[in-house]
Amino acid sequence: MNDADYRWPSAAKAWLDLPAPIRAEMVAAGAESWREVFDGRATYNKQWRLARPPVMDETSLGVLNAVSDRLAQLIFEACRRRAGTAGELRRLLNVPDGETRLLDDDEPLTEALLDAFRPDVLLSDGVPRFVEYNIDSSLGGAFDADTTVRRFVDVYRRRGLTDRARLAAAPSAVDRRFAAIRAGLGLPDGARVAMLIDFDAEYPGLDDPQRFIRLLSPVVERAAVSGMDLVIAPVSQVTLDDRSRLVADGAPVDGVFRLFVPNRVTPSAGVDALAAGLAAGTVPMWVSVAAWLVANKRAFAWLWEDAETLPAEDRDLVHRYVPRTWSLTAGLLDRAVRDRAALVAKPADGSAGVDVLIGRETDADAWRDGLTRAVGRGGFILQEYVKADDVPLDFVHIETGETVSAEVPYSIAPYLFGRRPAGACIRTGFPGCDAVLNLARGVLLSGLLVTD
């Protein structure tokens, strides 16, 4: 991957390159149709909806996907240089035995662990900066991203806008994931596969499992097109039969994939049954939970530690796209206190913005206290602060129906399944939002609209 000659356009360019009349009609269409577009989609935001999806040109998306793929390989290689098995990596990361459920310490680290990943990317001065990598089967947002952007495109098609400009949804993350599952598990046509969900976790809609499963009926239909009989099941309710096969919704399954993270799954008899089946080798699962260890943010620090030993092209890739990252130790505490405005502290195995400290948004005493506690707990990283570019977007106020344009930060999370690009989940801010972009703080989810 050689992107050295690529000059990234501003995040607004693809949108502004569309003719002004088409842009106006797109916003008007979204303002009228937002209930249709976002029906059943996950969000905590009770005030705003997007009037249009974020837009990226096809060339930039292609380069972004290529960089994403190569950086994932470099992260894996940084781990593999230090550990040969999941257990060796777990111990190196100081992850307690048993904290990561379903993990086989003796499992060799192989590139099969890169079958599903989604980096979190911020645009800063127009250049993508990769602040985190989610490497696991439990990548959220794929269905919401697919659904919203395809509904927007359907609205535009009904109005004839797709006849006047190329307005296409990015490749389906749902479809690409199912193709990767079949290939990764070697499943025959018609195989019965369980999507396992922890309905006791915190995510919008999980409090009503039956409604949540009904909303996912289009996913079941897409699985059928991919040659699989998909059953959506609470992980707490699966069992093993007398042949140690996993039973979900009354019948054995030929394979499973998780939509829960292995260090926060709610303990249950079903999780114990899944663990026993995996240990017995009777339950094929896509992807091994060892991938969760590869996603540990300390690998970013290892990338920087190793950068000067990499081939020049890979070294430059790390320097250009990965913020400088360190493992947080007591020896770095004074420096981190002094450089507060330039740093972010994160749990190395965290997600959803939990326990993240942004130096410039934290007063000096709280920053020092937070870092001191983090050093005592262990397992934190320091990362160079990345100022996300504000991007113009258009919103609908739910109560008034008013359309508002605002410049807000957003993050791009491109999916790659089986190392193939599969669209992206875009988390956008909204008028008056703060800097941390996650569901709990009301961000809005969308897929990505692709233009020429």
Side-chain angles (χ1 to χ4, degrees):
M1 162 66 219
N2 186 358
D3 77 309
D5 297 325
Y6 190 70
R7 299 187 64 181
W8 291 92
S10 76
K13 188 175 188 300
W15 169 248
L16 296 177
D17 279 348
L18 292 170
I22 288 181
R23 298 202 308 267
E25 290 183 55
M26 289 170 67
V27 173
E32 290 181 10
S33 306
W34 66 265
R35 289 181 178 83
E36 170 190 343
V37 169
F38 291 100
D39 180 48
R41 299 308 96 224
T43 180
Y44 289 108
N45 196 307
K46 306 300 183 185
Q47 188 174 14
W48 299 99
R49 293 292 181 270
L50 285 166
R52 65 169 179 88
V55 181
M56 181 176 281
D57 70 271
E58 188 169 36
T59 299
S60 294
L61 180 58
V63 177
L64 179 67
N65 285 326
V67 173
S68 299
D69 185 50
R70 184 57 189 153
L71 285 177
Q73 293 177 65
L74 292 176
I75 287 171
F76 172 78
E77 290 165 9
C79 294
R80 189 65 184 81
R81 280 191 290 273
R82 292 163 170 82
T85 66
E88 291 174 2
L89 183 58
R90 176 184 64 77
R91 290 185 287 272
L92 186 63
L93 294 169
N94 296 317
V95 175
D97 187 15
E99 181 177 292
T100 303
R101 294 298 308 270
L102 315 177
L103 183 69
D104 176 6
D105 270 357
D106 295 327
E107 178 187 343
L109 301 180
T110 70
E111 286 205 4
L113 300 177
L114 296 183
D115 227 17
F117 59 86
R118 189 201 70 194
D120 289 342
V121 182
L122 299 178
L123 301 177
S124 185
D125 293 329
V127 177
R129 306 297 303 282
F130 289 67
V131 296
E132 295 184 13
Y133 255 87
N134 305 280
I135 303 174
D136 194 34
S137 71
S138 61
L139 303 177
F143 179 50
D144 289 324
D146 269 17
T147 302
T148 55
V149 73
R150 276 158 179 72
R151 287 175 178 174
F152 271 120
V153 172
D154 286 343
V155 170
Y156 301 152
R157 186 177 295 113
R158 293 200 299 265
R159 292 178 172 240
L161 293 174
T162 55
D163 297 329
R164 296 158 55 192
R166 186 193 172 198
L167 304 171
S172 168
V174 171
D175 290 350
R176 290 278 170 87
R177 173 149 53 189
F178 285 139
I181 290 170
R182 277 201 66 178
L185 296 182
L187 297 174
D189 194 44
R192 192 167 192 264
V193 176
M195 176 197 293
L196 300 182
I197 298 175
D198 180 7
F199 280 97
D200 294 310
E202 292 185 5
Y203 191 81
L206 291 181
D207 56 323
D208 188 344
Q210 293 308 311
R211 180 176 184 273
F212 194 89
I213 291 172
R214 286 196 302 273
L215 289 173
L216 289 177
S217 59
V219 177
V220 177
E221 294 169 6
R222 297 311 306 168
V225 172
S226 296
M228 292 185 294
D229 176 14
L230 182 70
V231 55
I232 301 170
V235 66
S236 62
Q237 296 180 16
V238 298
T239 59
L240 294 180
D241 67 8
D242 55 6
R243 294 166 55 187
S244 293
R245 297 177 301 176
L246 197 76
V247 174
D249 197 25
V253 296
D254 302 302
V256 301
F257 73 102
R258 295 172 291 105
L259 282 186
F260 61 82
V261 296
N263 68 342
R264 291 204 308 272
V265 62
T266 307
S268 67
V271 174
D272 293 340
L274 177 59
L278 291 171
T282 55
V283 180
M285 184 171 70
W286 185 91
V287 174
S288 161
V289 298
W292 183 255
L293 298 177
V294 177
N296 189 288
K297 298 176 188 64
R298 282 190 63 189
F300 275 53
W302 295 342
L303 269 185
W304 273 91
E305 290 173 13
D306 299 351
E308 296 307 318
T309 68
L310 300 176
E313 187 175 315
D314 289 335
R315 177 201 63 210
D316 294 344
L317 206 69
V318 172
H319 286 174
R320 186 175 191 192
Y321 294 111
V322 180
R324 186 71 172 90
T325 307
W326 304 263
S327 296
L328 177 58
T329 63
L332 284 177
L333 188 57
D334 288 343
R335 177 183 173 186
V337 169
R338 183 180 68 246
D339 296 339
R340 171 171 58 93
L343 295 171
V344 177
K346 303 177 180 180
D349 63 351
S351 59
V354 176
D355 291 334
V356 171
L357 290 173
I358 300 174
R360 65 183 57 200
E361 297 179 11
T362 308
D363 69 52
D365 290 340
W367 173 253
R368 175 185 282 278
D369 291 345
L371 291 186
T372 301
R373 287 194 299 272
V375 168
R377 288 170 54 187
F380 272 68
I381 63 162
L382 284 174
Q383 193 171 74
E384 170 193 359
Y385 173 79
V386 175
K387 173 65 172 71
D389 296 338
D390 286 337
V391 180
L393 281 172
D394 299 276
F395 303 86
V396 181
H397 193 280
I398 292 174
E399 291 185 2
T400 67
E402 178 187 10
T403 302
V404 174
S405 296
E407 294 200 354
V408 299
Y410 73 51
S411 69
I412 305 171
Y415 295 99
L416 284 91
F417 293 118
R419 303 282 295 281
R420 294 188 65 197
C425 179
I426 313 296
R427 286 174 289 185
T428 81
F430 50 90
C433 71
D434 60 24
V436 178
L437 297 173
N438 62 60
L439 273 179
R441 302 196 185 201
V443 301
L444 303 175
L445 295 187
S446 174
L448 187 63
L449 192 70
V450 181
T451 66
D452 292 329

